[in-house]
Amino acid sequence: MNAQSLVPVIVFGPLVGATLAGLFGRRLGDTISQAITTGLLMLSCVLSWVVFSQWAWGGLEPFTLTLAPFIHVGDFISNWSIRLDALSAVMLIVVTTVSALVHLYSWGYMAEDPSKPRFFAYLSLFTFAMLALVTAADFMQLFFGWEGVGLASYLLIGFWFHKPSANAASIKAFVVNRVGDFGFALGIMTVFWQFHTIQFAPLFPQIAGMAGKGWLFAGHVWPAVDLACVLLFIGAMGKSAQFFLHTWLPDAMEGPTPVSALIHAATMVTAGVYMVCLLSPMFEYAPVAKQVVTLIGAVTALFAATVGLAQNDIKRVIAYSTCSQLGYMFFAAGVGAYQAAMFHLFTHAFFKALLFLGAGSVIHGMHHEQDMRKMGGLWKYLPVTYAVMTIGTLAITGFGIPGVELGFAGFYSKDTIIEAAYAAGHEHGGVAYFAFIVGLLAAGLTAFYSWRLAFMTFHGHAKWGHDEAHDAHGAHADAHAHDDHAHADHGHDDHAHGHKPHESPLVMLVPLIVLAIGAVFAGFVFVEKFVGDERAEFWKAAIFNAPANHVLEHAHHSPEWLMWAPLVVSMAGLAGAFYVYIVKEGMGARIAANKGILWTFFYNKWFFDELYEATIVRLTKFLGDVFWKVGDQKIIDGLGPDGVAAVSSAVGKQAGKLQTGFLYHYAFVMLLGVAGLLTFALVAWQA
């Protein structure tokens, strides 16, 4: 099959499904709407793997299909095009595979929801926007897909719009992403201003010629390529929930669990990583921007890992895990190991989607309970879910044996990132060494909070039959302790907490099993093509490494101790979690009850929400009130239409007093008028 004829079907298939289910869902009915959207996603998924196999093993060359002209104004030229290279081929299988499995999983998870056509239409719309993003041939289409996934995420996070918390979370995600997108738009403008094109093909060859050049602004010479890359990276910070612009991510858990898997596993949050790797020809000549990417990525990895230690909502723990893993991807790209960043994006999609959908299976089996303090001992009741989530935990913690190079998916990709950071730090020093240290520390923290989730959920004493799980300090600490569709009034009143947990239906378990297979084998099968000896042939021209960039080569010659270091810190995290939550069961609750400084700091997410509320939100509200109440109401309206109307009304009321209806009043007024005219005539005649 010809890849050039398959790719348009892959991209536009989900759009057709979204249109049919969204516009005609009520007429088609739930089952047909679900079948159409899921079937088209399955078709896109199969065709994506066909195209990927042609790329990886069939010698397929990069190509660009121009579908239609879009904007042609002077030098500004943008066409609707589809670009296929190694990056887009990888992203096609990542996006369509996870989305297809999420669609199938949602048949069981959303079975009792009355708005299934709308939900499946949103899922397919989201997938189409992401596919448009990853196949973009210029910045305009990239921006279209970028904003499309932002819109679709707003719709999905606020799917249960009757809930105030869901509405607030969707608006928060939308607004925070607009902050990043403002920087992204400025970056695109800067690129066009400097290079007079927004199309990738003619743009990338020009970058080397601009290296070291700048432009004078406000008395300072700004490095041209660095400026563009930093502005573009601000967009990535918002979309990929990096430090400072991360606050929307945990609140996005207000959406249904399949939404969490789709947004946080393989699609929206990885768009920023994909964009940085796509623009490697620019970032390779932007040393300042690369340091910024490395620093922000490392800080994010550490921040999110610490916050994940203290969360009790099963979905929020995994959400912060996503944030932390994205930090790994970014600092990998920042040190120049773009291939390692994409490799971790690829493997992460499998085990993170597995963990999110596994958490959904737990929530479903627990009658929509999300608080891990109300779980325990579930391995007997949810054996398949327990098995696949254990696989996901082993994958995210990077379990493997370095000597024989055998392990789960995360072992290959995460270890490569840590080794690349060490190699870059050893060669150049600076923030790369910081990223290496943080990468090791975050690996230990990742193991601790991941096994903490597994032990609190599946092991220990069962706490789901009563309310003892809520300790004195936190009976109401987690406002979102229940999955939102438990409150959606969908007929769940018969599900009391006293009921025994139960395994999920087969339609939910099949996607989990498929993802578990990916979490086991994705790293082993593709390590050579992504970061090994075959990487040059696989990536071809899709990723650019400057002649001085030898990070991956040096990473493959790491010292012996470095190869074992990630495993050692991960095992330390496992041992710590086992001691606190199994050997000394209840110790974690006692630590939380003491409300120590560190626990309070981590539990409250470094107080970022409170800080933003006290500064940005209040200042914005104050300025809004000033401009509205003073500027708009009192000045503009007061002196303008309202003022004129008030004066006219007052004059009219005073003039109306003359209209008494008595004849002698009118005669008197006429007499006064005549006297006034005579007086004026006499004065004028004398003058």
Side-chain angles (χ1 to χ4, degrees):
M1 290 184 282
N2 187 355
Q4 296 192 20
S5 61
L6 297 182
V7 176
V9 178
I10 295 170
V11 174
F12 291 103
L15 178 62
V16 173
T19 303
L20 293 175
L23 298 180
F24 309 106
R26 291 187 177 181
R27 294 185 178 182
L28 295 174
D30 292 352
T31 303
I32 295 178
S33 297
Q34 292 173 246
I36 290 174
T37 52
T38 306
L40 288 172
L41 249 300
M42 292 291 183
L43 175 63
S44 291
C45 178
V46 171
L47 296 181
S48 295
W49 279 99
V50 171
V51 171
F52 178 78
S53 64
Q54 291 180 2
W55 179 272
W57 296 286
L60 181 65
E61 293 297 322
F63 63 83
T64 299
L65 293 176
T66 300
L67 303 179
F70 182 39
I71 300 176
H72 290 192
V73 180
D75 292 336
F76 191 93
I77 298 175
S78 176
N79 298 314
W80 290 113
S81 303
I82 293 177
R83 186 196 87 262
L84 185 80
D85 58 11
L87 284 168
S88 55
V90 170
M91 293 302 295
L92 284 180
I93 61 170
V94 167
V95 173
T96 57
T97 300
V98 173
S99 183
L101 294 174
V102 166
H103 274 72
L104 180 61
Y105 179 93
S106 298
W107 280 64
Y109 194 84
M110 302 296 289
E112 300 175 9
D113 195 282
S115 302
K116 287 189 281 293
R118 178 167 62 91
F119 180 76
F120 279 82
Y122 289 170
L123 287 182
S124 292
L125 176 64
F126 185 99
T127 307
F128 162 71
M130 192 65 194
L131 292 174
L133 188 158
V134 301
T135 57
D138 63 30
F139 276 108
M140 181 58 70
Q141 186 176 329
L142 183 69
F143 190 73
F144 167 79
W146 198 269
E147 296 303 308
V149 294
L151 170 64
S153 68
Y154 166 80
L155 297 172
L156 287 167
I157 294 169
F159 177 74
W160 288 309
F161 55 84
H162 57 277
K163 291 188 62 206
S165 58
N167 283 328
S170 62
I171 293 172
K172 185 176 182 179
F174 197 80
V175 171
V176 173
N177 272 276
R178 296 292 74 70
V179 175
D181 292 351
F182 179 68
F184 188 57
L186 290 178
I188 296 174
M189 296 175 195
T190 303
V191 169
F192 180 72
W193 174 71
Q194 292 174 351
F195 301 100
H196 307 290
T197 183
I198 61 167
Q199 299 181 79
F200 300 142
L203 168 66
F204 291 157
Q206 300 182 49
I207 304 298
M210 285 291 291
K213 296 182 180 180
W215 58 284
L216 182 65
F217 178 75
H220 182 74
V221 177
W222 301 83
V225 182
D226 275 303
L227 176 65
C229 288
V230 168
L231 290 172
L232 291 167
F233 177 62
I234 292 174
M237 288 173 63
K239 198 65 68 182
S240 297
Q242 293 300 282
F243 199 64
F244 295 123
L245 296 179
H246 64 275
T247 53
W248 67 269
L249 187 70
D251 290 347
M253 296 301 102
E254 289 290 337
T257 298
V259 172
S260 303
L262 187 61
I263 291 178
H264 302 116
T267 49
M268 175 173 166
V269 294
T270 60
V273 179
Y274 164 80
M275 186 264 288
V276 172
C277 294
L278 172 67
L279 302 182
S280 58
M282 294 181 64
F283 278 89
E284 281 294 89
Y285 292 103
V288 175
K290 287 180 68 175
Q291 289 189 340
V292 171
V293 174
T294 304
L295 180 62
I296 293 296
V299 172
T300 303
L302 179 62
F303 155 76
T306 59
V307 175
L309 299 174
Q311 303 305 304
N312 297 312
D313 185 310
I314 188 172
K315 286 172 63 178
R316 285 182 177 245
V317 173
I318 304 174
Y320 279 109
S321 170
T322 298
C323 193
S324 182
Q325 298 304 307
L326 289 166
Y328 274 97
M329 300 176 206
F330 274 112
F331 78 66
V335 301
Y338 307 99
Q339 297 90 338
M342 286 300 299
F343 189 28
H344 197 52
L345 184 157
F346 177 75
T347 59
H348 175 265
F350 290 101
F351 58 72
K352 187 51 59 69
L354 172 61
L355 289 172
F356 263 120
L357 296 184
S361 180
V362 172
I363 294 166
H364 183 271
M366 284 291 294
H367 310 292
H368 315 297
E369 178 62 67
Q370 288 183 216
D371 192 337
M372 296 187 301
R373 296 169 300 178
K374 283 195 161 185
M375 298 181 186
L378 295 181
W379 69 272
K380 299 178 182 178
Y381 303 93
L382 289 75
V384 178
T385 301
Y386 170 60
V388 296
M389 285 199 73
T390 301
I391 292 174
T393 302
L394 290 168
I396 194 174
T397 56
F399 181 79
I401 305 173
V404 295
E405 294 299 317
L406 185 64
F408 291 82
F411 163 72
Y412 298 93
S413 56
K414 185 189 289 187
D415 283 21
T416 303
I417 290 175
I418 293 174
E419 291 166 5
Y422 174 81
H426 186 69
E427 184 174 351
H428 304 293
V431 294
Y433 256 138
F434 173 72
F436 163 67
I437 295 170
V438 166
L440 275 182
L441 178 59
L445 297 176
T446 299
F448 184 90
Y449 68 66
S450 297
W451 287 111
R452 170 181 179 263
L453 182 151
F455 294 148
M456 289 183 68
T457 303
F458 295 104
H459 295 276
H461 293 91
K463 306 173 186 68
W464 38 265
H466 43 77
D467 295 326
E468 72 177 15
H470 283 289
D471 49 68
H473 82 279
H476 304 287
D478 291 311
H480 307 289
H482 294 271
D483 187 28
D484 297 323
H485 75 294
H487 300 295
D489 194 22
H490 297 159
H492 297 309
D493 295 337
D494 61 322
H495 292 311
H497 286 292
H499 288 196
K500 287 186 177 181
H502 58 82
E503 187 60 276
S504 299
L506 187 62
V507 73
M508 293 173 64
L509 295 180
V510 169
L512 292 176
I513 295 171
V514 173
L515 290 169
I517 295 172
V520 174
F521 296 108
F524 173 77
V525 172
F526 293 102
V527 60
E528 289 300 321
K529 290 193 175 294
F530 277 75
V531 295
D533 296 335
E534 302 176 28
R535 68 180 184 276
E537 175 62 24
F538 179 81
W539 294 110
K540 296 180 182 177
I543 290 178
F544 173 76
N545 290 117
N549 184 346
H550 304 291
V551 170
L552 276 179
E553 285 82 355
H554 294 165
H556 290 313
H557 299 89
S558 300
E560 185 77 14
W561 66 267
L562 180 58
M563 298 173 61
W564 287 91
L567 178 62
V568 171
V569 296
S570 295
M571 294 304 293
L574 166 60
F578 184 79
Y579 181 79
V580 173
Y581 295 98
I582 299 296
V583 177
K584 297 289 185 181
E585 186 177 0
M587 184 177 177
R590 292 191 295 273
I591 293 173
N594 290 334
K595 295 185 179 180
I597 295 176
L598 272 182
W599 180 89
T600 303
F601 188 59
F602 296 158
Y603 181 77
N604 289 283
K605 301 159 287 186
W606 291 25
F607 292 100
F608 263 97
D609 284 316
E610 290 78 4
L611 177 63
Y612 286 169
E613 177 69 30
T615 54
I616 298 175
V617 175
R618 289 189 180 181
L619 177 61
T620 303
K621 187 176 184 300
F622 171 76
L623 292 176
D625 287 342
V626 169
F627 286 126
W628 168 40
K629 297 179 180 178
V630 178
D632 189 21
Q633 291 185 336
K634 293 186 178 180
I635 297 178
I636 297 176
D637 288 345
L639 298 178
D642 290 349
V644 172
V647 171
S648 300
S649 177
V651 172
K653 289 180 180 179
Q654 296 302 320
K657 294 179 180 179
L658 299 176
Q659 308 299 320
T660 63
F662 295 105
L663 183 61
Y664 63 88
H665 285 171
Y666 301 148
F668 178 69
V669 171
M670 293 173 66
L671 180 61
L672 290 177
V674 172
L677 287 173
L678 290 174
T679 302
F680 175 77
L682 289 173
V683 171
W685 179 73
Q686 291 178 354

